[in-house]
Amino acid sequence: MVEDFYQYESEAEFGKSWELISSEIKQRFPNRADYVQYREHVFLQHKAVQMFQ
C-alpha cells in the first residue's frame, strides 16, 4: 500500500493516493478535491518539483 501511495504521488495521481491515506489525514482533507488541490499546489506549483524520489 505504501509503495502504491508513493507511485501515485510520483505520477501526480493525487486522487488515487487520497484513497490510501489514513483516516487521521482524511480528517484534515475530508474530500478528495481539497487533497488534490493542496498536493498540486505544494508539489507542482510552490516547490516546482521536477522529479520525485
Side-chain angles (χ1 to χ4, degrees):
M1 186 168 87
V2 172
E3 289 177 5
D4 289 343
F5 175 82
Y6 282 112
Q7 183 68 37
Y8 294 146
E9 291 279 297
S10 71
E11 296 171 353
E13 293 284 345
F14 303 121
K16 290 180 180 179
S17 61
W18 180 86
E19 295 289 336
L20 300 176
I21 61 176
S22 69
S23 58
E24 290 85 12
I25 299 298
K26 282 185 179 176
Q27 289 177 3
R28 182 172 178 194
F29 300 101
N31 67 59
R32 182 189 324 229
D34 290 342
Y35 180 79
V36 170
Q37 183 178 22
Y38 175 77
R39 299 303 277 184
E40 287 177 347
H41 174 74
V42 169
F43 283 109
L44 304 179
Q45 296 171 9
H46 180 66
K47 295 188 178 189
V49 173
Q50 298 297 317
M51 56 190 284
F52 190 94
Q53 294 182 346

